[in-house]
């Protein structure tokens, strides 16, 4: 018997001994009755929408956006022009995929270079900026929650190159009855920038403002998504989202 074959037999014996031991153990079951997770067919690449996604922009037109007629559409992308665009539909908690490219021809500096933004619930800005070799205040650079927190790392690609955001957004919950703004649960944001996690379940402090501290204003759970016009011809393509909801299991009586 070769040394190799002997080793294989020893290993097989050890594995069957483990199998016998686990057969004696009692399997733990929570008793919770879970609904079966729905089958979703993923896109062919991570950029393409899965089968249950709402496609907000497929490169052809911005008909799902108010203000979209002002933006320029060409070669499968849209260019920021003349104002913000806001989705006609509203969404609560979601996974949002957005691709963008800051201008190839670099003009300006700081906040004046490739500035745009993805406003979750129409008021919480995930900053879009050319932060490739372009310094600005850190909580205003690309991937920041504007004036609330910088990205953990700078994962920007070069100007003109396509970049992606995969954003997980949990909308804040407010006490509907209360006259004052009573936050029952703050909003949370996770941002993956070009495959790199730059925000991990960040707790929103409220709306993101240029000229005042963050603060919450009561709003309905479902709100539109807005893309910012900041005067720079930033490009967008492949925008889709999936509304997300945790499965609810039933505990037996
Ligand atoms: Mg901006």
């Amino acid at each position: 018997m070769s040394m190799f074959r002997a080793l294989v037999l020893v290993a097989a014996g050890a594995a069957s001994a483990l199998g016998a031991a686990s057969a004696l153990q009692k399997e733990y079951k929570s008793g919770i009755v879970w609904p079966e997770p729905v089958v979703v067919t993923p896109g062919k690449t991570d950029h393409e929408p899965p089968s249950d996604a709402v496609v907000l922009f497929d490169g052809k037109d911005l008909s799902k956006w108010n203000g979209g007629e002002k933006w320029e559409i060409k070669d499968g992308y849209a260019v920021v022009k003349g104002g913000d665009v806001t989705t006609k539909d509203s969404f609560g908690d979601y996974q949002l995929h957005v691709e963008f490219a800051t201008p190839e021809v670099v003009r300006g500096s700081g906040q004046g270079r490739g500035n745009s933004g993805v406003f979750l619930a129409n008021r919480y800005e995930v900053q879009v900026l050319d932060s490739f070799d372009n310094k600005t205040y850190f909580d205003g650079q690309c991937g920041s929650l504007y004036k609330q927190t910088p990205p953990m790392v700078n994962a920007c690609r070069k100007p003109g190159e396509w970049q992606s955001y995969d954003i997980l957004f949990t909308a804040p919950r407010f006490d509907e009855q209360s006259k004052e703004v009573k936050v029952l649960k703050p909003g949370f944001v996770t941002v993956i920038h070009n495959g790199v996690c730059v925000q991990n379940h960040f707790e929103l402090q409220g709306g993101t403002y240029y000229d005042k501290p963050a603060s919450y204003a009561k709003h309905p759970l479902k709100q539109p998504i807005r893309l910012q016009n900041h005067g720079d011809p930033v490009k967008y393509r492949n925008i889709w989202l999936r509304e997300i909801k945790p499965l609810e299991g039933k505990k037996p009586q």
Side-chain angles (χ1 to χ4, degrees):
M1 191 184 289
S2 73
M3 180 61 94
F4 175 72
R5 183 152 165 75
L7 281 172
V8 168
L9 284 173
V10 168
S16 73
L18 274 174
S22 65
L24 297 173
Q25 290 169 335
K26 199 171 177 304
E27 184 190 359
Y28 163 75
K29 288 190 176 177
S30 71
I32 299 169
V33 181
W34 294 103
E36 186 175 359
V38 168
V39 172
V40 171
T41 309
K44 285 196 200 82
T45 68
D46 293 346
H47 297 290
E48 286 171 50
S51 58
D52 65 344
V54 176
V55 176
L56 294 171
F57 177 56
D58 64 358
K60 293 185 192 95
D61 65 70
L62 284 168
S63 58
K64 293 196 175 160
W65 301 74
N66 288 314
E69 64 286 346
K70 291 191 195 127
W71 286 25
E72 194 184 344
I73 313 276
K74 57 178 182 188
D75 302 332
Y77 59 82
V79 188
V80 174
K81 209 175 178 183
D84 294 0
V85 294
T86 310
T87 55
K88 291 176 181 171
D89 288 330
S90 292
F91 309 98
D93 302 331
Y94 48 79
Q95 166 190 355
L96 173 66
H97 177 86
V98 178
E99 291 171 37
F100 62 92
T102 61
E104 203 171 340
V105 179
V106 172
R107 278 201 198 95
S109 63
Q111 291 288 307
R113 185 188 291 187
N115 194 334
S116 181
V118 180
F119 283 76
L120 310 170
N122 205 10
R123 68 202 73 212
Y124 312 111
E125 183 184 15
V126 178
Q127 174 72 301
V128 169
L129 194 76
D130 175 2
S131 291
F132 188 90
D133 209 9
N134 175 37
K135 282 266 195 311
T136 184
Y137 43 92
F138 304 137
D139 55 5
Q141 76 179 58
C142 198
S144 66
L145 262 303
Y146 188 68
K147 293 211 171 166
Q148 291 189 24
T149 189
M152 292 186 281
V153 293
N154 181 344
C156 278
R157 292 205 172 107
K158 287 179 184 162
E161 290 185 11
W162 283 104
Q163 312 195 48
S164 63
Y165 272 160
D166 287 286
I167 298 171
L168 299 180
F169 176 59
T170 308
R173 266 60 172 178
F174 300 95
D175 182 346
E176 303 283 340
Q177 320 304 332
S178 169
K179 278 199 175 155
E180 264 93 89
V181 181
K182 211 167 144 196
V183 180
L184 296 179
K185 235 172 133 186
F188 290 95
V189 183
T190 292
V191 181
I192 313 284
H193 183 195
N194 299 327
V196 178
C197 181
V198 296
Q199 302 289 351
N200 179 21
H201 200 56
F202 174 71
E203 181 180 323
L204 283 169
Q205 293 148 28
T208 53
Y209 303 107
Y210 170 71
D211 56 352
K212 60 179 181 179
S215 66
Y216 273 111
K218 194 158 78 175
H219 64 76
L221 175 67
K222 292 195 173 194
Q223 291 288 288
I225 292 161
R226 179 160 53 94
L227 300 178
Q228 184 187 42
N229 162 49
H230 203 280
D232 297 324
V234 173
K235 296 173 188 168
Y236 283 95
R237 72 176 186 189
N238 291 340
I239 308 176
W240 50 262
L241 73 71
R242 299 179 56 250
E243 289 200 82
I244 48 178
K245 198 164 89 184
L247 284 185
E248 274 174 37
K250 274 198 199 98
K251 280 196 174 171
Q253 302 301 327

